[in-house]
Amino acid sequence: MKRNVLAIFAVCAACSAMAEFESLRAAVDTATTNLNQKTLRVFTEGEIGGQSVCRHPSYQVLARIVSNDWQNVIEHIGNIATNQTERYLLLAAGFQYGWDFHLPFFNKVVDECLAGNISSNEVAWFEAYSTKPGLVDQLYYRNTDPAVTNLLHKLIQVDGDTNRWMSIMAPDAQEKVQEYIDAGILYIPE
């Protein structure tokens, strides 16, 4: 009897999770249908100009849905996305809404990589596309914040690029960024 009740709860939870992702799945399908296939290829391959996908109205709908439940979406990305392009479309929501959204999203992506649910190549793709003004630069600008240093230490575990991530934590990294800000070369939105 107890096993039957547990089995029923497990089935109900699985059905609930699928219903929960139904609108997300529809948005993924709409975005992949409405976007130019060449543009999607450029986006997936991480080429310059691929970010134009994120300005498309059907992608904006998808990004809003992901942003409303991003932790759950990233945790279950393998159950939602059917291919690499769809995985990247879901991950791209992480650099749509500014630093306060980007940092925890980036942390979740890295955590899921360390848990084996997201590949290190996907983390590298995410980091490379996180180039909207102020996002990647925030790592330098806020290099003493515990949230940033924790993320950088996790990134070392992901890709082993100790020199790169440690250079961001260097005391003079923030000064260099400040020089760029003062010179008007770099803008960090607050």
Side-chain angles (χ1 to χ4, degrees), residues 1 9 15 18 22 45 58 60 78 97 99 109 123 127 146 156-158 165-166 176 183:
M1 177 72 173
F9 281 131
C15 290
M18 293 308 286
E22 199 170 297
E45 292 175 4
S58 64
Q60 290 296 314
Y97 301 108
W99 175 253
V109 168
V123 172
E127 189 270 327
I156 290 169
Q157 292 175 37
V158 167
W165 304 118
M166 292 301 285
K176 289 179 185 175

Side-chain angles (χ1 to χ4, degrees), residues 17-155:
M18 293 308 286
E20 182 180 335
F21 292 130
E22 199 170 297
S23 62
L24 177 61
R25 186 66 242 165
V28 168
D29 291 340
T30 300
T32 56
T33 301
N34 290 345
L35 288 162
N36 176 295
Q37 294 306 301
K38 180 181 178 189
T39 304
L40 270 176
R41 182 192 53 75
V42 168
F43 172 76
T44 302
E45 292 175 4
E47 296 176 13
I48 294 173
Q51 293 104 326
S52 65
V53 162
C54 299
R55 291 188 297 271
H56 195 277
S58 64
Y59 181 76
Q60 290 296 314
V61 170
L62 172 61
R64 275 192 300 278
I65 293 170
V66 172
S67 73
N68 289 334
D69 193 20
W70 63 271
Q71 290 185 359
N72 197 25
V73 169
I74 298 307
E75 192 170 308
H76 295 98
I77 195 167
N79 298 328
I80 301 166
T82 62
N83 58 48
Q84 193 64 55
T85 298
E86 291 178 0
R87 289 175 72 91
Y88 285 155
L89 286 170
L90 296 172
L91 290 173
F95 44 86
Q96 297 303 305
Y97 301 108
W99 175 253
D100 290 334
F101 183 78
H102 178 73
L103 180 61
F105 194 100
F106 197 175
N107 256 300
K108 181 66 172 175
V109 168
V110 172
D111 288 342
E112 290 302 314
C113 177
L114 293 172
N117 299 324
I118 290 179
S119 73
S120 59
N121 287 340
E122 290 170 324
V123 172
W125 178 91
F126 179 81
E127 189 270 327
Y129 256 165
S130 297
T131 56
K132 287 177 81 171
L135 289 183
V136 172
D137 305 316
Q138 290 282 359
L139 294 175
Y140 291 91
Y141 192 66
R142 300 176 191 267
N143 70 347
T144 58
D145 290 357
V148 172
T149 57
N150 289 338
L151 173 62
L152 295 171
H153 285 292
K154 287 190 270 186
L155 285 164

